[in-house]
Amino acid sequence: MTDRRRELPSVDRLLREPAIAVLLDTAPRNAVVTAVREALESARSNRAGPPADWAEAVRERLGELTTRSLRPVINATGVVLHTNLGRAPLAAAALDAITAVGGGYSTLEYDLATGSRGHRADHCRGLLAELTGAADGLAVNNAAGALVLALNAVAAGRPVVISRGELIEIGGSFRIPEIMEKSGAALREVGTTNRTHLRDYEGALDGAAAILTVHRSNFAQSGFVASPEPRELAALARGAGIPYLHDVGSGLLLDLAAFGLRGEPSVPEAVAAGADLVLFSGDKLLGGPQAGCIVGSRDAVARCRANPLARALRADKFTLAALEATLALYRDPEAARREIPVLRMLTTDAATLGERAARLAAMMPVEADARTLRGESAVGGGSFPGASLPTTLVSLDPGPLGAHGLALRLRLGEPPVISRVESGRVLLDPRTIASGAMEALATAVAAAFER
Ligand SMILES: *Cc1c(COP(=O)(O)O)cnc(C)c1O
C-alpha cells in the first residue's frame, strides 16, 4: 500500500473544489456525490493512485452515470430485424398510440358502455382474428411466453409430440426442449433430425395431449429432408381429438414473394391449414412491438386466456396500444407495406437503395474516401434465413484508425452508429438507415474521423 493512496481527499473536500462544485449547477447533487465516491473508489483500488485531475475524473464518471443505458442508435448494418438493436422499429401510428395511452388513463381494463371492469385480453382480439382468419386471438408478452402458455394450457403433465428436427435453439436461451419442460408438458420426440413422416407422428399419439410444429426460423434444411404438411398434421390431430399447435415464429401476415422473400410460413396459411393454435412474435416480420400472439379456435384460445400463466405473461398497455395500431395498418396491405418500417425496409427496391447510398457517400468526409459497392442486406430475427436482399453499401477507408478502430469510435459517438467491418473497411448499409437519420449519421462519421 503506497502513501499516495492513503492521502486521498474526502468526499466533502472534493465537492468544495470549484471545478467540481460547478457540476452541481447542472447535475443533481446525488449524481455528483456518487460520481465523486466512484472516482475516489477507483483511485483507491487503482495501482496508479489518484488521478492527475480530480475534476476531470469526476466529470467522466458523472457523464457515465447520467447517460441513459437504453439509448437510440443508428443501425447501419443492414440487418433489418436486429434482435440486439431492438428488432422492429415501430410505425408512426404505433408510436402515436403509445403516446396517447401512456401519458394518461385508458380503457385498458374498462368497459365504457357499462362503466365497469373490462378485459385487457379484449384488445387486439378482434384484429388478430380478422387478419389471420382465426376464430379468436390473444396477445401476451412475447412469443416464447405464448408457447409456454399454450403448452401449459393444453398439455400440462402430458406428452406433446414433436419432430426431432424441430428441437431447435432460437437465439440466446430459447431452446424448445427446455421451454417445453418448463411449460409442464412432456416431450415426445419422433422421427429424425432430417426426416420425420406422418406415420412417425401417428405411431406416437397414444396418450398424447397435442402435436407441436416449430418453424425452423434461423436455419434452412435442404437435401434429404422430409416433414409432413401442416394440414396433414392438423387432420391427424383432429382425428385423434387433440389440438395441433404451430409456432410459426415471425408473424408474417403479407405475401412478400413479389419482393423475392419466399419460404417463410405466413400466419393466415398456418391458420387455414387447420392448426388449433398458431403462435408468433409481434416484433419480427409483423413489425410491431415485442409481443406473443396466439390465434386459433375459440376453445383453444379460451383455454390459454383462462390459464393462470396468462396473467403472469400479460402484455402491458404500451404493447397493446402499439400492437393494435400496427395490426390496424394491415387492413390495407399497401399501407402496411409502406408504413410499417420493417416491411418498408425489406421491400425497398435496389434502385432506391443505390440512390440513397450515393447520397450518403456524398455526405461523408473526404478523408473517408467513401465509395459505393454492391452488397447484401439480411432480414435477421431468424426470418427468411436463406433470403438475399441486394443493396448498395457505402464503404469507408478507416485510415490509421483501422476498420475496427473506426467502428468503435462510431459506436461510442453520439448518436452511436453500428456499422459493418469487412476487408479492412467500414461499411454502411442504407437499407436500415431512416432517411431522417442521414444528417446525424454524416455528422457522427465526421466526428469519428476528427477526434
Ligand atoms: C423468434 C421465435 C420465437 C420467440 O419469439 P420471441 O417473441 O422472441 O419470444 C419462438 N418461436 C420461433 C419459431 C421463433 O422464430
Side-chain angles (χ1 to χ4, degrees), residues 91 107 123 125 149 172 181 215 226 234 259 266 276 300 326 370 387 394 445:
T107 55
H123 304 291
R125 187 175 180 178
L149 171 60
E181 192 193 316
H215 176 54
F259 302 94
S266 84
D276 297 275
T326 307
V394 175
V445 173

Side-chain angles (χ1 to χ4, degrees), residues 87 142-144 170 174 214-215 217 247-249 281 283-284 291:
R87 284 199 189 150
N142 63 356
I170 302 164
F174 183 95
V214 178
H215 176 54
S217 283
D247 177 359
V248 296
S281 274
D283 58 352
K284 292 186 182 169

Side-chain angles (χ1 to χ4, degrees), residues 83 87 141-147 168 170-171 174 176 213-218 247-250 264 279-284 290-293 381-383:
T83 296
R87 284 199 189 150
N141 183 61
N142 63 356
L147 182 57
I168 57 176
I170 302 164
F174 183 95
I176 294 298
T213 296
V214 178
H215 176 54
R216 287 183 278 257
S217 283
N218 44 8
D247 177 359
V248 296
S250 78
E264 192 75 22
L279 317 171
F280 52 99
S281 274
D283 58 352
K284 292 186 182 169
Q290 176 189 305
C293 302
S383 309

